[in-house]
Every structure is written in structure tokens, then in C-alpha cells.
Amino acid sequence: MENLALKVSEIFNNIAQILELNNDNPFRIRAYLKAASAVEPLGPSLEGLIKEDRLETIPGVGKDLSEKIKEIANSGKLKFYEDLRKTIPEGVLELLKIPSLGPKTVKLLYSKLNIKNIQELEQAARSGKLLTLEGIKEKTVSNILAGIEILKKGRERISLAKALSVAQVFLDELTKKLKIQKIIAAGSLRRMQETVRDIDILLISKKPRQAIDTFTKAKGVKRILASGDTKASILNDEDIQIDLRVVPLKSFGAALLYFTGSKNFNIKLRQLAGKLQLTINEYGVFSLKDKNKFVAGRSEAEIFKVLGLEYVEPELRQDWGEVELAQKHDLPQLIHLSDIKGDLHVHSNYSDGAYSILEMVQACRLKGYEYVAITDHSQSLKIARGLSKKELINKKLEIDKLNKKFSPFRILYATEVDIDSDGNMDYPDSVLAEFDVVVAAIHTGFKQTKQQLTRRLIKACQNKYINIIAHPTGRLWQVRDAYEIDLDEILKVAKQTNTALEINSFPDRLDLNDINCRQAKLAGVKVCINTDSHDIRHLDFMHLGVATARRGWLSKTDCLNALSLDKLLKELSK
Ligand SMILES: [Zn+2]
Ligand SMILES: [Zn+2]
């Protein structure tokens, strides 16, 4: 689903950046920035304002900008922006995508050193040439190089959420147009790895040629890389590579196993097969004792059985010891999406959410949840419209009223309280004591030392009103890597204080990650899988967090919000 408000705000932000590069009027630049930040949180209500012709009620949006918003809504494009882009070399605009590099620095690089693309920037940074510029210090250079790395990584791999949605488009189209017995996306996507290099689709069809043709002519195909009788590769319009293989019914399980990976997991299986006088490949399992006779291949379950293994869920196939446990039929019972009983990190329009508490509650009830915690930001987080103590009173009253109406569904009065740079909470204990649930998070001061950041999180765990630490490592896909913390140290304290760590399901966070989840489980610390929704549609991200938990070997007993309401309330009061 496309979010018009996000698109408009992105275009306005880009316009402001280009205007800045062009030394345009500062007032004009600020006008675009202001409108961008006013439009962004509107979410779907922007469409409503367009219909009612009330765009000019948005702060900072006058006649000119309201016309521009309408043009974007109608055509998906803005002519003014397209023309403006042509005033600056494409490579220079690319530079703006490097995290930590603002338009002021880009302007300096472009005008003083004639740096026109990322390659030239990297060279200049490595050769020390950047240091000749005024205001550029060693630290700036190392930040620029780190930013280039993050950007490059993002180019090579796509996020899981993106890959899932791209794959779905092709799965839907092929299913619609072909008579298909089976179709599935394999690869790291099926293992729900947090990033994916390319997408592998397998299907069974009696007419392979027709399947290949349909695939290579599908909507969104930009270039055909290869096309044969049973397989083809294409690039879609976003330069994502998608491979299709048509496999025979008899080999479907073997092909699925093979193309799901991981590589190390497959190696383990081959070794195991060898010990049993079998060989395994993408066509099946064959007997070495009996002239390579076909033994199994139709389904994965059949193959695992022949190898003497319990079925290994795709998310576990990482060679983290799961094969050994599968031999003993002792794999963990992984958590399922249907085990989730509620969401304990959701924003309403009291802070920076796009919807009212009532609307968020109704969406959660439709999901079959028993409860939701409305965790708006705390007072100091001004950019996210954090709540003052006075506003909290109104919020509490509204929640009390809604709870009467929707019982037994329970709305938990909650907050996402900011942890300041010294590890103190942004509300005093007297205020924190009033909440049903308190989620604590770091939103500023990421550049502190490992010790400082660790201490802040430990102090938060030690505050008896804090139930959950949100997005504990702070990483943001393509913006910043996880900050350095001593997770083992934090887990030790969290275990003592009965504090849960969050798996934030937002697609560009997935924080904790799979490895961290495993660590939490070993330390006996509970996780809480939340969406951090700022929009009704974000509630759907829950499955990404659950997948991360599954990759980290977690069961429902490891997860705070797999508890029923009664048990949750008991746990929170401990
Ligand atoms: Zn947050
Ligand atoms: Zn949040």
C-alpha cells in the first residue's frame, strides 16, 4: 500500500535539499521542510483533506504547496521537482542519500572539490583530500566512510519486508495466469533472513515453457537476464533479481530444501546423508547401496524422515546446532503469529501516531488481540510530540472510558518513556507509577561510548516501573548500525529485574535481531514482540518480529505478549 503522505513529505524534503545545493532563498527552503514535516504524520487523513479541499488547513501549506500535493496525488509525480532535479548532476543527488551527510556538506564537496558521485567522494575521503576543506575533521571523514558502507550494503541487499512484497507480486501474477500445482518462494526469504540478495521462486507446472514465458513477460520485469526451458532470471523495475525454476512434482521437496538453504545447513545434511549411504541433491535422495535408486524427494517432510530427522522449520536452518537437535527430536517449539495476544508498543495521535486511540483499538480487536498498550512518547521528545503531564490526564480519562465500552478487551495506559543521556527517565517515578505498562527507549545520544550506552540501558532496567526496553540496539536499516552495547551485561541485569527486551517488528528495525534473541533466551530474559505502530497498517508488521523470534529459537513461553491478559497483568505487577 502506498502512503501518499510519506511520498509527499519525501519529495518536499528532497526539494529543500536541492534548493539548498542551489543556494536558493532560505525562507523558501524552510517552507518546504516545514510542510514536509507537517504532512508526514498525517497518514491516510491526507487523502481525506484532498477530497474535502482542506489542504490549506495543514500548517505551512498555502495555495502553491496545496496545488503541488494535488499534482502528486493525481499523477504520482511533480513536474517542478523533476525539472529541479535536472539542475544538479545525478551523482551529487546520490551523495545526499549517505547517512550523516547533509546538503551543506554536499554543497561544499561539490563546489570546492568538484566531487560529483559516491566513488569520487570515497577516493577523496581515503586520500585525505577532504581534510583540506574548512570544517571537515577526521571524525567527519570517518563518519562519511561509515555512511558510504551502510549505503553500499543497502544496495546489495534488500530488506525482508521489501523482498516479501516483491515476491508476492510475482506469486500472485503467476498463480492468476497459470494452472499451477504448487508455487513458493524459497531462499533466504523463506528462512525470513532480515536481508535478502535475490528472490528464488519454485513452481510445479505441466507446461514449463508457458510458465517461463508468463514469468518473463510479467508486469514489472525490466530486463530478462536468462531464459531457458525450466528456469529464468529477471531484474524487476527496482533492479531486484528474481529467479524462477520449474521443477517436477517428484523432486519438489528436494528442490525446495536445496534452494531454501542455508548453504551450511545443506552441507550438514549432505554429510549426514553420506553416513547413511545416501546422497542428496536438488532432485532427491538416492541410495548409494542400491544403484542410486530414488528414495525420497516429493516433500521436505519425506526427506527429513529418511534422514532420521525431525522436521526443521526454515527459520532454523542456519547450522546453529539445529541438525544435532533434530536428530534427537528435540527442536524447540517455535512461536507462531497466532500465539501473540496483544501489542505492547503502539502510538496514537496523542503523540506522533496517525490514528486515534479508538481507531488503533478497533484495529487491534479485529486482529483478535486481548489487549494493546498505547505507548505515546514522553515530554522531552518534542519532534515526536511527546506528552506533558497535563496531556496524560486526558489520555488516561479517554482510556478509562474506552475500557468500559470494550471490556473484556483491555487498553493498557502506557508510555514510551525516553531514557536521557545519563540514563534517567523523562517522567518522574510518581508519573511512571500511574502507567499499566512502561516501555523505555533511547532516542538521542547514540554516539556515546559503549560503557555510557550500556549504563543508560542498565539504569532503565533497574527502574522498577520499566517493564520493557524498546528497540534495544537502536539500529535503523540504511541509516545507522546498532550502537555498541554490552548486551550480556544488560541481559544479566534484565534477568534480575524481570525486564523484557523488545523485538521491534518495524521493517527497518527488527531490533533485537535473531542472534540477540538467542542470547536473551540463554540468559533467561523474556522478549516482547511489538510493532511500534504509528499507523493502523503498521500493526501487520507483527509477523516480521515473530519471524525474527523464530530465527532466534524462541517459543511462546519466552514471549511476554504471548501471555493472556490475566497472566500478563500478574507478570507486570511483579
Ligand atoms: Zn522509539
Ligand atoms: Zn515507539
Side-chain angles (χ1 to χ4, degrees):
M1 240 174 299
E2 196 182 48
N3 184 334
L4 178 65
L6 273 188
K7 184 162 187 178
V8 169
S9 92
E10 193 186 311
I11 291 180
F12 284 4
N13 272 322
N14 291 350
I15 289 175
Q17 289 183 326
I18 301 175
L19 292 176
E20 173 128 29
L21 289 175
N22 284 340
N23 284 323
D24 208 294
N25 176 345
F27 291 105
R28 199 166 169 222
I29 297 170
R30 221 166 303 145
Y32 277 100
L33 289 175
K34 194 173 165 209
S37 64
V39 167
E40 199 209 288
L42 290 175
S45 40
L46 181 63
E47 273 109 340
L49 291 175
I50 294 175
K51 271 190 216 121
E52 295 161 18
D53 206 10
R54 292 200 299 134
L55 282 174
E56 287 177 44
T57 60
I58 305 170
V61 173
K63 196 164 170 29
D64 174 51
L65 291 188
S66 94
E67 287 306 317
K68 288 192 165 78
I69 294 173
K70 282 188 230 160
E71 187 184 331
I72 298 167
N74 291 333
S75 68
K77 281 194 278 211
L78 181 63
K79 174 133 193 333
F80 170 71
Y81 174 52
E82 305 287 322
D83 292 342
L84 192 64
R85 285 178 67 102
K86 290 179 195 142
T87 62
I88 301 280
E90 197 63 35
V92 177
L93 296 176
E94 287 273 289
L95 295 180
L96 289 168
K97 293 189 187 139
I98 298 171
S100 85
L101 206 55
K104 282 209 177 70
T105 316
V106 171
K107 190 159 84 184
L108 194 68
L109 297 168
Y110 174 48
S111 59
K112 292 271 154 65
L113 295 178
N114 197 27
I115 289 172
K116 293 187 295 305
N117 57 49
I118 291 173
Q119 223 178 348
E120 289 173 4
L121 176 61
E122 192 171 357
Q123 266 166 15
R126 293 200 190 281
S127 68
K129 209 161 138 197
L130 291 191
L131 292 170
T132 61
L133 290 175
E134 203 187 334
I136 302 248
K137 301 189 196 76
E138 301 259 1
K139 183 89 190 136
T140 326
V141 176
S142 70
N143 281 342
I144 286 174
L145 285 170
I148 292 175
E149 273 318 299
I150 290 176
L151 194 70
K152 276 190 191 163
K153 246 193 286 172
R155 290 275 151 80
E156 283 165 25
R157 305 191 71 93
I158 42 173
S159 73
L160 175 62
K162 175 91 204 170
L164 286 168
S165 75
V166 170
Q168 199 57 49
V169 171
F170 282 86
L171 293 179
D172 288 346
E173 178 142 351
L174 290 167
T175 313
K176 204 172 70 192
K177 293 198 175 145
L178 294 167
K179 270 206 185 110
I180 286 174
Q181 283 164 277
K182 260 183 189 164
I183 183 162
I184 189 166
S188 42
L189 178 91
R190 181 159 176 252
R191 285 185 281 113
M192 301 295 270
Q193 195 167 296
E194 63 189 36
T195 63
V196 167
R197 192 181 298 270
D198 47 29
I199 296 168
D200 293 293
I201 298 176
L202 300 183
L203 67 79
I204 303 177
S205 167
K206 288 195 177 117
K207 296 181 179 156
R209 196 62 249 178
Q210 189 195 3
I212 296 290
D213 281 346
T214 310
F215 173 64
T216 52
K217 286 179 192 140
K219 212 168 56 196
V221 172
K222 186 170 95 179
R223 197 145 61 87
I224 301 170
L225 300 172
S227 171
D229 291 336
T230 58
K231 57 182 183 188
S233 291
I234 60 106
L235 278 189
N236 84 344
D237 43 22
E238 291 168 288
D239 287 322
I240 298 168
Q241 184 175 335
I242 302 149
D243 300 337
L244 178 80
R245 283 186 179 77
V246 186
V247 295
L249 180 67
K250 199 178 147 187
S251 301
F252 187 73
L256 185 55
L257 193 60
Y258 183 86
F259 289 109
T260 297
S262 67
K263 216 168 156 187
N264 289 342
F265 176 78
N266 285 351
I267 291 172
K268 267 273 165 67
L269 289 195
R270 279 205 294 278
Q271 289 169 346
L272 191 65
K275 285 187 195 146
L276 299 167
Q277 297 286 313
L278 300 166
T279 76
I280 177 170
N281 60 31
E282 58 187 283
Y283 303 103
V285 182
F286 302 88
S287 168
L288 289 173
K289 283 185 292 192
D290 196 0
K291 294 179 213 152
N292 268 337
K293 196 181 127 198
F294 178 87
V295 179
R298 205 176 277 261
S299 72
E300 286 185 335
E302 181 181 288
I303 296 172
F304 281 121
K305 211 169 154 198
V306 167
L307 296 175
L309 298 175
E310 183 182 354
Y311 180 82
V312 184
E313 299 280 358
E315 294 94 330
L316 288 181
R317 301 181 194 171
Q318 314 191 59
D319 191 20
W320 282 4
E322 70 281 2
V323 176
E324 290 77 1
L325 285 183
Q327 279 181 300
K328 293 187 244 167
H329 289 249
D330 196 19
L331 286 171
Q333 287 290 316
L334 298 186
I335 187 168
H336 289 279
L337 183 58
S338 57
D339 294 323
I340 299 293
K341 300 283 192 327
D343 198 329
L344 295 183
H345 185 170
V346 164
H347 296 266
S348 76
N349 59 7
Y350 269 86
S351 66
D352 56 350
Y355 289 86
S356 66
I357 295 178
L358 173 64
E359 288 165 315
M360 293 313 281
V361 165
Q362 278 169 332
C364 286
R365 290 176 73 230
L366 280 176
K367 291 212 163 289
Y369 290 162
E370 294 178 20
Y371 49 83
V372 61
I374 307 292
T375 54
D376 289 302
H377 288 287
S378 59
Q379 51 196 0
S380 295
L381 214 58
K382 290 283 188 294
I383 40 165
R385 297 204 301 260
L387 270 62
S388 67
K389 287 181 218 165
K390 225 167 153 187
E391 291 167 299
L392 285 175
I393 296 170
N394 292 331
K395 181 174 159 178
K396 175 94 169 68
L397 282 173
E398 185 173 340
I399 287 178
D400 287 344
K401 222 168 29 189
L402 290 172
N403 266 327
K404 283 199 189 105
K405 189 167 164 196
F406 291 117
S407 171
F409 184 90
R410 178 70 183 273
I411 306 150
L412 297 159
Y413 171 58
T415 184
E416 179 177 7
V417 69
D418 203 42
I419 304 171
D420 79 8
S421 52
D422 296 319
N424 299 314
M425 301 307 129
D426 189 26
Y427 288 130
D429 282 359
S430 59
V431 172
L432 293 178
E434 294 290 311
F435 293 107
D436 300 316
V437 177
V438 179
V439 174
I442 288 180
H443 294 104
T444 50
F446 310 114
K447 298 224 160 109
Q448 286 183 335
T449 62
K450 183 173 175 178
Q451 284 92 330
Q452 284 171 312
L453 283 158
T454 303
R455 218 179 75 87
R456 283 164 82 182
L457 291 177
I458 284 178
K459 262 179 108 174
C461 290
Q462 285 166 336
N463 182 308
K464 66 174 176 178
Y465 299 108
I466 307 295
N467 307 107
I468 301 164
I469 305 290
H471 42 78
T473 77
R475 70 165 180 173
L476 212 48
W477 169 245
Q478 286 201 292
V479 176
R480 60 171 181 263
D481 288 333
Y483 36 72
E484 265 199 85
I485 48 172
D486 188 336
L487 189 59
D488 281 323
E489 218 30 62
I490 293 162
L491 287 169
K492 230 184 270 166
V493 179
K495 168 76 182 159
Q496 287 160 7
T497 56
N498 198 28
T499 313
L501 297 197
E502 180 179 74
I503 301 176
N504 190 298
S505 310
F506 223 80
D508 51 5
R509 286 195 185 270
L510 296 182
D511 175 14
L512 304 175
N513 69 13
D514 48 5
I515 298 169
N516 303 151
C517 285
R518 194 87 210 276
Q519 266 174 285
K521 181 168 179 146
L522 290 171
V525 171
K526 277 214 159 76
V527 302
C528 187
I529 311 177
N530 295 324
T531 61
D532 202 352
S533 288
H534 288 68
D535 186 307
I536 285 173
R537 288 171 286 193
H538 296 165
L539 292 167
D540 292 337
F541 296 152
M542 185 62 84
H543 76 110
L544 298 170
V546 171
T548 305
R550 288 168 63 85
R551 285 178 56 84
W553 295 43
L554 302 192
S555 306
K556 66 176 176 183
T557 48
D558 300 312
C559 178
L560 189 64
N561 55 329
L563 293 173
S564 63
L565 176 62
D566 293 354
K567 291 198 177 129
L568 174 79
L569 294 176
K570 247 181 242 153
E571 183 71 22
L572 291 174
S573 66
K574 269 189 200 164

